[in-house]
Amino acid sequence: MPQLRVLAGPDPNHLSSITHLVNTNLPCKISSDLFDGQIIANIKGFNKDTEYFDRDDRKGVTWSIQVQGRFLQPHTADDILFGNTFERPLHLPWGSGAALKFMSYLDPNLTHDLTSQTKPWALSPLVATMPHFAHSHKSRPPKFPSSSSLTDDNSQLSLAFHEEDEDAESPLSSASSSTSSLSSGSSSHSGDSGHSSSSSSSRKSHSSNGNGNGAPPPVNLHTAAQRRNYFSVSKNRKSVVFGPEDIITTDFCYGFLEFAPSLTLRLPGGISFDLLRYWDGQPVRFMCCERKDSNASRLDSEPWGRSFWCVAIEMVD
């Protein structure tokens, strides 16, 4: 029977096995020119279960990918995506349309091309799709790893709000001039409160009236539902900039996909798919990446931008 192997790295081409770390609550370090952080993976039924799945607020969850880190170059929340990417076409089973409707119900911001004959994908803005999200700006982030579950903390998101006049440069345009100085701060570690302030030129302090784009500041987002609702609006995502001074902590966890003892997709209403019947050897790849630049070279065949981090779960004999 096939066994699971879990890999992680800064991008799909630079992955290392972290199978020995699964369900141990021990993090894997991720470091590149774009992202500096840590990843923890939990899979129910894989080797020895972790106490994570016994927590009252994680009942029914079958897998979890927890990440804490910072983006070393400023990006708007609209340009940081998370989801699944594939290297070759998928063999989708009959009834897969129901699965896609279910995914869109869970995440209304999901866009995809899973029927692509080149490289299928399904991606959403990270800040809008994560079920659990915490943001810290120039302050101590949540403990990582932790023996308690991550809960939403959006109290400092207003500090990442970019107040922009209609004729002013976009957050990314104004930040591009500071790229070189940001790179010099890439050796700082996640959780360090003394981050470089070079990205401060890309944002101004928020006002209660919003900005030139008509986006209100992200205040009073006390719950995950409020956060996801606010960031479901494109202009709101484009008005928030995450850079080296911002520590992002997330927990992507659900219960509709089982990796052990078999790869099974379970939907409401008792609908389930034995995905091993349709598996062609491709790993299930979770990736955080840039939104692809509309001005990118046509020679670039990937429908997504540069990768920040990637976790792949694959079956091996």
Side-chain angles (χ1 to χ4, degrees):
M1 182 177 178
Q3 301 296 314
L4 287 182
R5 180 167 64 181
V6 184
L7 306 99
D11 61 71
N13 297 320
H14 299 88
L15 299 177
S16 301
S17 176
I18 62 167
T19 305
H20 61 292
L21 297 177
V22 175
N23 291 353
T24 66
N25 207 35
L26 296 175
C28 164
K29 177 72 175 178
I30 301 293
S31 184
S32 71
D33 292 338
L34 297 177
F35 184 81
D36 181 40
Q38 305 176 83
I39 293 177
I40 294 175
N42 293 314
I43 300 176
K44 190 170 186 178
F46 181 77
N47 294 335
K48 183 175 70 173
D49 266 349
T50 170
E51 55 81 29
Y52 174 94
F53 298 110
D54 296 327
R55 300 174 187 173
D56 289 340
D57 54 4
R58 294 297 187 265
K59 292 292 186 182
V61 167
T62 54
W63 96 94
S64 161
I65 298 174
Q66 301 171 68
V67 180
Q68 183 176 88
R70 59 197 182 99
F71 301 99
L72 300 181
Q73 299 173 16
H75 289 75
T76 71
D78 189 58
D79 288 323
I80 301 171
L81 306 180
F82 173 79
N84 301 107
T85 62
F86 302 90
E87 287 300 317
R88 56 182 183 271
L90 299 171
H91 302 297
L92 298 176
W94 177 88
S96 58
L100 291 177
K101 288 182 179 179
F102 174 66
M103 296 304 296
S104 295
Y105 169 77
L106 285 179
D107 181 7
N109 296 289
L110 178 71
T111 57
H112 64 84
D113 185 4
L114 292 176
T115 60
S116 170
Q117 294 305 300
T118 53
K119 296 186 176 184
W121 55 273
L123 296 165
S124 298
L126 177 138
V127 71
T129 192
M130 282 292 166
H132 308 287
F133 177 96
H135 164 261
S136 303
H137 181 76
K138 291 185 178 180
S139 64
R140 185 177 298 277
K143 184 179 179 181
F144 194 92
S146 175
S147 58
S148 59
S149 301
L150 179 70
T151 57
D152 257 54
D153 183 354
N154 309 304
S155 59
Q156 296 186 358
L157 276 175
S158 61
L159 299 177
F161 183 69
H162 180 83
E163 195 168 26
E164 180 181 85
D165 295 329
E166 291 187 11
D167 296 329
E169 290 182 300
S170 70
L172 290 183
S173 297
S174 61
S176 62
S177 62
S178 62
T179 300
S180 59
S181 60
L182 290 174
S183 299
S184 66
S186 62
S187 60
S188 298
H189 295 290
S190 173
D192 187 350
S193 61
H195 301 315
S196 166
S197 62
S198 56
S199 67
S200 61
S201 62
S202 69
R203 50 165 77 93
K204 303 176 185 177
S205 59
H206 81 276
S207 73
S208 60
N209 296 322
N211 63 11
N213 288 335
V219 295
N220 299 320
L221 306 181
H222 304 297
T223 67
Q226 290 171 333
R227 174 204 15 112
R228 297 177 77 172
N229 182 64
Y230 173 85
F231 285 110
S232 68
V233 180
S234 176
K235 67 180 180 181
N236 293 348
R237 296 193 300 268
K238 292 177 179 179
S239 297
V240 171
V241 179
F242 295 132
E245 297 172 328
D246 302 282
I247 302 296
I248 306 299
T249 309
T250 62
D251 185 2
F252 189 74
C253 57
Y254 282 108
F256 58 81
L257 192 61
E258 296 178 2
F259 291 93
S262 181
L263 186 59
T264 305
L265 175 66
R266 299 191 184 279
L267 304 179
I271 302 174
S272 64
F273 298 95
D274 181 1
L275 298 182
L276 279 180
R277 293 178 54 191
Y278 308 95
W279 179 61
D280 65 351
Q282 287 202 74
V284 178
R285 194 164 73 188
F286 299 90
M287 190 164 76
C288 179
C289 62
E290 293 177 324
R291 185 183 297 277
K292 186 169 184 177
D293 188 343
S294 59
N295 297 320
S297 170
R298 292 184 179 181
L299 298 177
D300 183 3
S301 62
E302 293 184 337
W304 50 85
R306 295 177 299 176
S307 171
F308 297 112
W309 55 264
C310 179
V311 174
I313 303 174
E314 61 184 13
M315 300 285 184
V316 293
D317 294 327

